Amino acid sequence: MKLKEKLKQEKKLQIIRTACKLFAEKGYSNTTMHDIAKELSMSVGNLYNYFSSKEELAKEIMVTASRWVAERIRKINEKDISTKEKIYELVKSFIDIALKEPELIHYFLRVFLSNREVFEEDCLGFACVGDVVTEIGVLLSEGVAKGELRNQDFFSAFVTIMGPMGGIVFLHGENVLQKPLMEYAEEIAENIWRALKA
Amino acid sequence: MKLKEKLKQEKKLQIIRTACKLFAEKGYSNTTMHDIAKELSMSVGNLYNYFSSKEELAKEIMVTASRWVAERIRKINEKDISTKEKIYELVKSFIDIALKEPELIHYFLRVFLSNREVFEEDCLGFACVGDVVTEIGVLLSEGVAKGELRNQDFFSAFVTIMGPMGGIVFLHGENVLQKPLMEYAEEIAENIWRALKA
Amino acid sequence: MKLKEKLKQEKKLQIIRTACKLFAEKGYSNTTMHDIAKELSMSVGNLYNYFSSKEELAKEIMVTASRWVAERIRKINEKDISTKEKIYELVKSFIDIALKEPELIHYFLRVFLSNREVFEEDCLGFACVGDVVTEIGVLLSEGVAKGELRNQDFFSAFVTIMGPMGGIVFLHGENVLQKPLMEYAEEIAENIWRALKA
Amino acid sequence: MKLKEKLKQEKKLQIIRTACKLFAEKGYSNTTMHDIAKELSMSVGNLYNYFSSKEELAKEIMVTASRWVAERIRKINEKDISTKEKIYELVKSFIDIALKEPELIHYFLRVFLSNREVFEEDCLGFACVGDVVTEIGVLLSEGVAKGELRNQDFFSAFVTIMGPMGGIVFLHGENVLQKPLMEYAEEIAENIWRALKA
DNA sequence: TATGAATGAGACTTCATTCAT
DNA sequence: GATGAATGAAGTCTCATTCAT
């Protein structure tokens, strides 16, 4: 039984990864359950053995993806380095994810940001992405505690971090940037650091 | 003849305003041409006398909305004040728009950002929002010229401005903020200023 | 008043000609009243001042076109030549029309033949194309009277004449013929003559 | 697995038969996918599991119907009888089909002949009805080889055969004939034979 | 579990026709 | 007569979801 359960989880994850990619590429509405099934070489019917609906699938993707990203940030938070260095690492990490697993970030930009009705019920106050928010919160409050960051409203600081990072990745996805994405990391990080530092 | 033409333009604008609102509220895919027609108390068929398709409508909204926002920024640029003050005014202006005409900003967040395929052809390199980009560019380069801002890559600076502003408005739309939106203006503006100043 | 009436008839004819061409080119269903109006540089509404409906227009075209073709046949019938020669002239005439005013023949093939419901009421027993049928009837009965054609059922003879002529013109319209259309005239005429001669 | 595939083919054929009938009766444009689904007691959506579009369906009908008719002609060609007898049998066969399965012939007259745009791409040079053309070609060239038919251009001969046959069946469908359709067979056959014989 | 045929509501779009100006 | 904005029914096609096998 345990093995069976594990296999099922394995498959769920596989579906999540594929669906995340497709949603991120084509948008939530433009991706059909058939598209997902086809990409996975499985039947539509079977998809419903793992997720009760398209919305359900979208939500689980968000939770999972958020957890992955949060994990990366948590590792940074755990490091014994200055807040400035943490911010630099955060930006690099974020861009690294955007390069290696772009669907994670684009899923957020394309699906989560824009299909609020899908997430409305279960994601009030961003329950779905709570892990990420928490980690950013940790980074900020520790920075303040250490006297390295100015004390300010959480949300102001939060958007000052996430906004530029999300923005540059979005522009990258649109092919409007003239340099490789990673080359923007330093400048963005410096901007964020200057914006928040004590 | 001129009158008739003017009336038609008037009506187009009316449609654009209404459609912008609906798209911003419910998302592009979740808003039907029927919804728009109903809200305008007109027939679906007639809608197509003004816009040849739903996509076409979405594009024209973007161009128009972008022009409106750009106009606001241009007025700030024209003022004889310091760059710091300009940034403060920009943030306040942006939030002001978000409060009085939230559909303009949310249209950008919900429709433009997330339904890239709709805009792909005609909006390469953001032709659609070019006016806004231009004005931000002016603000930045003048700031640098006056020695008030550090010289840096345009895109880095651009997302450092637009990211936090967009972010806070988005969170506002999601009802997660604890204070009235405008109360975040000062802090956000200060963050952006510190991020970019020389 | 008379002048006015004449001008109206003139315009009707102009509309008929244009509509006939469009219907013949694109088919009845695929041609919109707007298409016709546009081609004539007039408004849709005005079209309805001349013809009460699309169907009405189609019928009037058929009557008019049929009269034109019948006129050509009548002239042949009136000639003082042998039936064989008449058949040769008929085929050449038919092909000549197909080359110079292809819409007349194609209208018959594309619209009349296939949109029977349009003509049903007013064209029972081919009232619409009665003139052509009559002239073919004259040619046949005179040929029999002169002992040059075998006496046979009218419809058998009728299709033996019209079938090959319509067929070759259709194939020409489809670009499957390898020689210029007119070069088929002799052979077709000879076939028809042999088929019917005494 | 094979069984399932077979069942699907079976159903496709069933759809083809029904759609052919409806198209032949009411014309291509006047027959809706809903009409077809209803006649088959199935859902519109499911229709699209078998044919990707209405046009696609029309094309497959043409190919299938053409194959059926060609089969009948092929059997005649294989018989060890004179060309004259073959022509007589061909006409009878054609009329027999028109009586028993009128939709096959009327589909050709009403849909194929008149909705050229539907078939344009995939049916250039009549690829769709190639089988029928081929068989007629065989009949003709063998007749010439045996010295029973005059040698003439293929297309001239082709329309001399198909024209009268199609014509009489069309008139039958229009209820303008005064005798039962089959009674025209002899005369038509005789006409065609005389038209082509050496 | 796995399959994919089946459902049916609903989306976008077209178009003949009307009517106020 | 002439215009073209307005109507709204209807058509084609899509797609989340179900269910018999």
Side-chain angles (χ1 to χ4, degrees):
Chain A
M1 285 313 107
K2 260 235 177 99
L3 179 69
K4 224 171 182 178
E5 188 58 28
K6 201 155 192 179
L7 278 173
K8 182 152 190 176
Q9 284 308 317
E10 197 70 37
K11 191 128 197 175
K12 271 190 86 162
L13 215 58
Q14 201 184 323
I15 296 172
I16 283 177
R17 249 191 273 268
T18 301
C20 178
K21 195 188 70 180
L22 291 178
F23 283 148
E25 275 170 12
K26 322 198 299 178
Y28 178 72
S29 292
N30 302 314
T31 305
T32 72
M33 292 301 267
H34 260 100
D35 291 339
I36 299 168
K38 199 174 179 184
E39 183 86 7
L40 284 155
S41 305
M42 75 195 290
S43 70
V44 225
N46 201 18
L47 223 46
Y48 282 84
N49 285 327
Y50 295 90
F51 300 92
S52 63
S53 72
K54 196 185 177 185
E55 288 205 0
E56 176 68 19
L57 173 54
K59 283 174 200 161
E60 291 218 31
I61 293 171
M62 197 65 241
V63 173
T64 306
S66 172
R67 207 171 288 149
W68 285 335
V69 175
E71 185 58 22
R72 297 281 292 263
I73 307 179
R74 201 175 51 72
K75 275 183 188 148
I76 296 171
N77 274 336
E78 281 171 351
K79 286 189 179 176
D80 191 16
I81 53 179
S82 73
T83 300
K84 179 177 180 182
E85 285 168 311
K86 282 185 182 177
I87 286 174
Y88 270 68
E89 293 233 1
L90 172 63
V91 175
K92 278 183 211 152
S93 240
F94 194 85
I95 287 181
D96 185 55
I97 296 173
L99 288 170
K100 291 193 188 132
E101 302 173 277
E103 57 274 17
L104 292 186
I105 311 298
H106 282 102
Y107 185 85
F108 182 80
L109 289 168
R110 295 208 51 169
V111 183
F112 184 68
L113 234 77
S114 295
N115 297 274
R116 303 307 302 136
E117 62 290 345
V118 172
F119 302 94
E120 223 149 64
E121 273 180 46
D122 298 271
C123 207
L124 268 179
F126 294 114
C128 285
V129 292
D131 292 336
V132 169
V133 176
T134 302
E135 291 302 330
I136 296 289
V138 167
L139 191 156
L140 287 168
S141 55
E142 285 183 1
V144 173
K146 289 197 275 178
E148 294 176 312
L149 298 183
R150 279 180 296 128
N151 189 19
Q152 62 174 289
D153 184 278
F154 168 70
F155 293 110
S156 298
F158 182 75
V159 299
T160 300
I161 291 178
M162 298 306 286
M165 291 200 307
I168 204 74
V169 169
F170 173 73
L171 292 183
H172 172 67
E174 293 301 311
N175 284 317
V176 301
L177 298 185
Q178 283 149 1
K179 299 188 291 183
L181 178 55
M182 191 52 92
E183 291 187 22
Y184 291 91
E186 288 275 327
E187 248 171 5
I188 302 280
E190 181 66 20
N191 284 349
I192 295 174
W193 163 245
R194 283 172 181 247
L196 302 178
K197 75 171 178 191
Chain B
M1 290 310 107
K2 259 230 176 105
L3 178 69
K4 232 173 183 175
E5 189 58 29
K6 202 155 195 177
L7 277 174
K8 186 148 191 179
Q9 283 307 316
E10 198 72 37
K11 191 133 202 172
K12 265 191 94 162
L13 216 58
Q14 200 183 323
I15 296 172
I16 284 178
R17 251 191 275 270
T18 301
C20 177
K21 196 188 68 181
L22 292 179
F23 283 149
E25 276 170 13
K26 321 200 302 177
Y28 178 72
S29 292
N30 303 312
T31 306
T32 71
M33 292 302 268
H34 184 79
D35 291 339
I36 298 169
K38 200 173 176 187
E39 182 86 7
L40 284 155
S41 305
M42 76 195 292
S43 67
V44 210
N46 200 21
L47 229 40
Y48 284 84
N49 283 329
Y50 295 89
F51 301 92
S52 63
S53 71
K54 197 186 175 186
E55 288 206 0
E56 177 68 18
L57 174 54
K59 283 175 200 158
E60 292 219 29
I61 292 172
M62 196 65 240
V63 173
T64 306
S66 172
R67 208 171 287 148
W68 285 335
V69 174
E71 186 59 20
R72 296 283 291 264
I73 307 179
R74 199 175 53 72
K75 277 185 186 145
I76 295 171
N77 274 335
E78 282 170 351
K79 288 188 179 176
D80 191 16
I81 53 179
S82 73
T83 301
K84 178 177 179 182
E85 285 168 312
K86 282 186 181 177
I87 287 174
Y88 270 68
E89 292 231 4
L90 173 62
V91 176
K92 278 183 210 152
S93 238
F94 194 85
I95 288 181
D96 185 54
I97 295 173
L99 288 170
K100 292 194 188 129
E101 302 174 276
E103 59 274 18
L104 292 188
I105 311 299
H106 282 101
Y107 186 85
F108 183 80
L109 290 169
R110 295 209 52 170
V111 183
F112 183 69
L113 232 70
S114 299
N115 296 274
R116 303 306 303 135
E117 62 288 347
V118 172
F119 301 93
E120 222 149 66
E121 272 182 46
D122 298 275
C123 209
L124 268 179
F126 296 112
C128 284
V129 292
D131 293 335
V132 169
V133 176
T134 303
E135 292 302 330
I136 296 290
V138 169
L139 192 157
L140 287 168
S141 56
E142 286 183 359
V144 172
K146 289 195 278 179
E148 295 175 311
L149 299 182
R150 279 180 296 128
N151 189 19
Q152 63 175 291
D153 185 277
F154 169 71
F155 293 111
S156 298
F158 183 75
V159 298
T160 300
I161 291 179
M162 298 306 286
M165 292 200 307
I168 203 73
V169 170
F170 174 73
L171 292 183
H172 172 68
E174 294 301 312
N175 285 315
V176 301
L177 298 185
Q178 284 147 2
K179 298 188 291 182
L181 178 55
M182 191 53 90
E183 292 187 21
Y184 292 91
E186 287 276 327
E187 250 172 4
I188 301 280
E190 181 65 22
N191 284 349
I192 295 173
W193 164 245
R194 284 173 180 247
L196 302 178
K197 74 172 178 190
Chain C
M1 285 312 107
K2 247 204 183 132
L3 179 68
K4 224 171 183 179
E5 187 59 28
K6 201 155 192 177
L7 278 174
K8 182 151 190 175
Q9 284 308 316
E10 199 70 37
K11 191 129 196 175
K12 270 189 86 161
L13 215 58
Q14 201 184 323
I15 297 172
I16 283 177
R17 251 190 274 268
T18 300
C20 178
K21 195 188 71 180
L22 291 178
F23 283 148
E25 275 170 13
K26 322 198 298 176
Y28 178 72
S29 292
N30 302 314
T31 306
T32 72
M33 292 301 268
H34 260 100
D35 291 339
I36 298 168
K38 199 175 180 185
E39 181 86 7
L40 283 155
S41 305
M42 75 195 291
S43 70
V44 226
N46 201 17
L47 222 46
Y48 281 83
N49 285 326
Y50 295 90
F51 300 92
S52 63
S53 73
K54 197 185 175 185
E55 289 206 359
E56 177 68 18
L57 174 54
K59 284 175 200 160
E60 292 217 29
I61 294 171
M62 197 65 242
V63 173
T64 307
S66 172
R67 208 172 286 149
W68 285 335
V69 175
E71 185 58 21
R72 297 282 291 263
I73 308 180
R74 200 173 54 70
K75 276 183 186 147
I76 296 171
N77 275 336
E78 283 171 349
K79 287 188 180 176
D80 191 15
I81 52 179
S82 73
T83 300
K84 179 178 179 181
E85 285 169 311
K86 283 185 181 177
I87 286 174
Y88 269 69
E89 292 233 3
L90 172 63
V91 175
K92 278 182 210 153
S93 240
F94 194 85
I95 287 180
D96 185 55
I97 296 173
L99 288 170
K100 291 194 187 130
E101 300 173 279
E103 57 274 17
L104 294 187
I105 312 297
H106 282 103
Y107 186 85
F108 182 80
L109 290 169
R110 296 208 51 170
V111 183
F112 184 68
L113 241 94
S114 293
N115 296 273
R116 304 307 301 135
E117 62 291 343
V118 172
F119 301 93
E120 222 150 65
E121 273 180 46
D122 298 270
C123 206
L124 268 178
F126 294 117
C128 285
V129 292
D131 294 336
V132 169
V133 176
T134 302
E135 292 302 331
I136 296 290
V138 168
L139 190 156
L140 287 168
S141 55
E142 285 182 0
V144 172
K146 289 197 276 179
E148 294 175 311
L149 299 183
R150 278 180 298 125
N151 188 20
Q152 62 175 290
D153 184 278
F154 168 70
F155 292 110
S156 299
F158 182 75
V159 298
T160 300
I161 291 179
M162 298 306 287
M165 292 200 306
I168 202 74
V169 169
F170 173 73
L171 292 183
H172 172 65
E174 293 301 312
N175 286 316
V176 302
L177 298 184
Q178 284 147 0
K179 299 188 290 183
L181 179 55
M182 191 52 93
E183 292 186 23
Y184 291 91
E186 289 275 327
E187 249 172 5
I188 301 279
E190 181 65 21
N191 284 349
I192 294 174
W193 163 245
R194 283 172 181 249
L196 302 178
K197 75 171 178 189
Chain D
M1 290 312 106
K2 256 225 177 110
L3 179 70
K4 232 173 182 174
E5 188 58 29
K6 202 156 194 176
L7 277 173
K8 186 148 190 179
Q9 283 307 316
E10 198 72 37
K11 191 133 202 171
K12 265 190 95 161
L13 216 59
Q14 201 183 322
I15 296 173
I16 284 178
R17 252 191 274 269
T18 301
C20 177
K21 197 188 69 180
L22 291 178
F23 282 149
E25 276 169 13
K26 321 199 302 178
Y28 178 74
S29 292
N30 303 311
T31 306
T32 71
M33 292 303 267
H34 183 78
D35 291 340
I36 298 169
K38 200 174 178 186
E39 181 86 6
L40 283 156
S41 304
M42 76 195 292
S43 68
V44 208
N46 200 22
L47 228 41
Y48 283 84
N49 282 330
Y50 295 89
F51 301 92
S52 62
S53 72
K54 197 185 176 186
E55 288 206 0
E56 177 68 18
L57 174 53
K59 283 175 200 159
E60 292 219 28
I61 294 173
M62 196 66 241
V63 173
T64 306
S66 172
R67 207 171 287 150
W68 285 335
V69 174
E71 186 58 22
R72 296 283 290 264
I73 308 178
R74 199 175 54 72
K75 277 185 186 143
I76 295 171
N77 275 335
E78 282 171 350
K79 286 189 181 178
D80 191 16
I81 54 179
S82 73
T83 299
K84 179 178 180 181
E85 285 169 310
K86 282 186 183 177
I87 286 174
Y88 270 68
E89 291 230 6
L90 172 62
V91 176
K92 278 183 210 152
S93 237
F94 194 84
I95 288 181
D96 185 53
I97 295 173
L99 288 170
K100 292 193 189 132
E101 302 174 275
E103 58 274 18
L104 293 188
I105 311 299
H106 281 100
Y107 186 85
F108 182 81
L109 290 168
R110 294 209 52 170
V111 183
F112 184 68
L113 229 68
S114 299
N115 296 274
R116 304 307 303 135
E117 62 289 347
V118 172
F119 301 93
E120 223 149 65
E121 271 181 47
D122 298 274
C123 209
L124 268 179
F126 296 111
C128 284
V129 293
D131 293 336
V132 169
V133 176
T134 303
E135 291 302 329
I136 296 289
V138 168
L139 191 157
L140 287 168
S141 55
E142 286 184 359
V144 172
K146 289 198 277 179
E148 294 175 312
L149 298 182
R150 280 181 295 128
N151 189 19
Q152 64 175 288
D153 184 277
F154 169 71
F155 293 110
S156 298
F158 183 75
V159 298
T160 300
I161 291 179
M162 298 307 285
M165 292 201 306
I168 203 72
V169 169
F170 174 73
L171 292 182
H172 172 67
E174 293 302 312
N175 285 316
V176 301
L177 298 185
Q178 284 147 2
K179 298 188 290 183
L181 178 55
M182 191 52 91
E183 291 186 22
Y184 291 91
E186 288 276 327
E187 250 171 4
I188 301 279
E190 181 65 22
N191 284 350
I192 295 175
W193 164 245
R194 283 171 180 249
L196 302 178
K197 74 172 179 190

